[in-house]
Amino acid sequence: MFKKVLIGILAALVIIAGLLTYLRSATKKHSPEATATYQNKGLDVVVKYCQPYKKNRIIFGDESTGALQPYGKYWRLGANEATTFNTKTDILVGNKTLPAGLYAMYAIPNEKTWTIAFNTENDRWGATAPSPENDVLRIDVPTITELNITEQFVINFEPNDTALNLILNWDNVKVYVPVAPTK
C-alpha cells in the first residue's frame, strides 16, 4: 500500500513539474524574452527581461483607472520572471556605486518619477515583490511623457557624454537611468 501511495505522489510531482514548465513557456509567447547588452567604455552590462504588449490597455496610472501598473506599486520591469541586471564590474548608477554582480532590477513607477531598484533576489518568477531589505541600490529618475506610443516594452542602452543611459520605454513613458564606470 505504501509503495502505491509513493508512486502516486511521484507521478503527481512529475505532472506538476511538467505543467509548470509548459505554463512558463506558454506565457513567453505573449511576452517574449529579450536581452539588452552594452560593452564599451569600461562597462559590460547585460539586462534580461520579457516584453509585454500594451494591447489597448492603460499601462501606467492611478489604481482607480484600472491601470495595468498602478503608480506607487512594485513592477518587475517586464513580464514573467524578474528582470535581471548583470554587471561584470562595479559601476555607477546615477552617483551611487553598484557592485559587480547579478541583480533583480525593478521599478516603482509614479507619474513624474520612478524609483529604480537593484535587488539580490534575482531568481523569482511572477509578480511577487522582493524584500526591500535586499535592495543594494535605489535611485529616483524623472519620467518623460512622449507623444508616440511604444506598443511593446523595450529596454536598451544609449551612449551619452559621460557613459550611457539605460532606457526603459513603454506606452507613452520613457525613463533614462544613467550608468557609468567607476573612476
Side-chain angles (χ1 to χ4, degrees):
M1 179 67 166
F2 176 73
K3 193 174 186 180
K4 288 181 181 181
V5 170
L6 186 59
I7 291 172
I9 291 171
L10 287 174
L13 289 174
V14 168
I15 290 169
I16 290 170
L19 182 60
L20 289 175
T21 301
Y22 168 76
L23 288 174
R24 278 188 171 197
S25 67
T27 62
K28 290 190 179 181
K29 290 176 186 174
H30 302 289
S31 299
E33 290 183 66
T35 303
T37 60
Y38 186 86
Q39 293 177 314
N40 198 3
K41 297 184 180 183
L43 297 167
D44 188 354
V45 181
V46 177
V47 179
K48 292 185 178 183
Y49 66 106
C50 291
Q51 299 180 281
Y53 288 86
K54 179 173 169 52
K55 297 180 184 175
N56 294 317
R57 299 177 287 185
I58 298 169
I59 301 300
F60 304 107
D62 291 320
E63 207 161 358
S64 63
T65 67
L68 180 65
Q69 181 53 55
Y71 291 143
K73 304 282 184 175
Y74 160 82
W75 180 39
R76 63 189 152 188
L77 285 174
N80 304 323
E81 62 265 336
T83 291
T84 59
F85 183 98
N86 191 1
T87 175
K88 301 223 190 269
T89 60
D90 294 356
I91 61 173
L92 293 175
V93 178
N95 59 359
K96 299 177 180 180
T97 301
L98 181 67
L102 177 65
Y103 301 96
M105 182 179 168
Y106 69 91
I108 301 171
N110 286 293
E111 186 176 2
K112 304 282 184 202
T113 63
W114 283 15
T115 299
I116 306 297
F118 298 85
N119 188 288
T120 57
E121 295 177 49
N122 58 49
D123 189 22
R124 291 184 342 277
W125 176 265
T128 306
S131 301
E133 303 84 45
N134 294 322
D135 287 351
V136 175
L137 184 147
R138 277 185 172 220
I139 182 175
D140 290 329
V141 293
T143 61
I144 297 169
T145 302
E146 300 203 307
L147 296 176
N148 295 325
I149 299 295
T150 300
E151 175 64 26
Q152 187 177 24
F153 177 59
V154 177
I155 297 176
N156 58 24
F157 293 101
E158 177 182 279
N160 63 31
D161 294 339
T162 57
L164 81 146
N165 286 310
L166 171 65
I167 301 171
L168 312 171
N169 192 352
W170 197 20
D171 194 11
N172 66 337
V173 178
K174 189 178 268 190
V175 174
Y176 291 86
V177 181
V179 178
T182 56
K183 305 291 180 207

